[in-house]
Amino acid sequence: MKATVYVTIKQNVLDVQGTAVQGALHSMGFEEVGKVRIGKYLELELGNVDKAEAETRVKAMCEKLLANTVIEDYRYELA
Amino acid sequence: MKATVYVTIKQNVLDVQGTAVQGALHSMGFEEVGKVRIGKYLELELGNVDKAEAETRVKAMCEKLLANTVIEDYRYELA
């Protein structure tokens, strides 16, 4: 089983990295770019676990290590 | 139009951040976790551009700024 985790800055938190990238894109001539938000993308290999078990475990990993839930949201897909 | 860009380390390049996260997860009791790969996830707002134009522009942004194509792959979705 493989998990894909997306960690993004919460909507009401200032994304400084995104703002910097937006500025850089503007200065390079990509003026059409509006808001930029940057997050993390993780691929985890999970071995042979069933889907319900994997769901619980990946949620725990996100809460404990992968996302800072004070300022970040996360979502995941299992395949 | 909105673009979602995924930037990942190439398969044959060592992902040190992923290895560190894997080690941390193991030491926290998540021993089922195999390989971990970490990338970036970007959301760009593009204003009113047509899809073909957006495709060309986003590709250029990836090549010039968002991805280091020596060690990273990128893919994007337009919606």
Side-chain angles (χ1 to χ4, degrees):
Chain A
M1 180 145 293
K2 205 179 121 183
T4 309
V5 180
Y6 305 86
V7 179
T8 47
I9 302 266
K10 284 186 179 174
Q11 279 302 329
N12 52 351
V13 175
L14 180 69
D15 183 346
V16 281
Q17 202 187 353
T19 310
V21 167
Q22 184 188 16
L25 286 170
H26 281 189
S27 71
M28 290 167 76
F30 298 106
E31 278 100 9
E32 75 270 39
V33 178
K35 203 166 66 169
V36 177
R37 295 193 76 80
I38 301 188
K40 280 175 291 184
Y41 166 83
L42 297 96
E43 290 173 353
L44 311 171
E45 280 172 18
L46 292 180
N48 290 322
V49 280
D50 69 86
K51 195 160 179 171
E53 170 77 2
E55 186 116 9
T56 321
R57 300 283 282 175
V58 171
K59 195 165 191 296
M61 290 177 213
C62 289
E63 295 280 343
K64 288 181 186 165
L65 182 73
L66 305 179
N68 174 357
T69 53
V70 177
I71 55 164
E72 290 173 328
D73 288 322
Y74 65 86
R75 67 190 164 85
Y76 52 84
E77 288 159 10
L78 297 168
Chain B
M1 177 138 304
K2 206 180 118 181
T4 310
V5 179
Y6 304 87
V7 179
T8 47
I9 302 265
K10 284 186 180 175
Q11 279 304 327
N12 52 351
V13 175
L14 181 69
D15 183 348
V16 282
Q17 202 188 354
T19 310
V21 167
Q22 184 188 19
L25 287 170
H26 282 188
S27 71
M28 290 167 79
F30 298 106
E31 279 100 9
E32 77 271 37
V33 178
K35 203 166 67 169
V36 177
R37 294 194 77 81
I38 302 189
K40 279 176 290 181
Y41 166 84
L42 298 97
E43 289 173 355
L44 311 173
E45 280 171 18
L46 292 181
N48 291 323
V49 279
D50 70 88
K51 195 160 181 172
E53 169 76 4
E55 185 116 9
T56 321
R57 299 285 282 177
V58 171
K59 195 162 191 297
M61 290 178 212
C62 289
E63 295 281 342
K64 288 183 185 165
L65 182 75
L66 305 179
N68 174 356
T69 54
V70 177
I71 56 163
E72 291 172 330
D73 287 322
Y74 65 85
R75 67 191 164 83
Y76 52 84
E77 288 157 11
L78 297 168

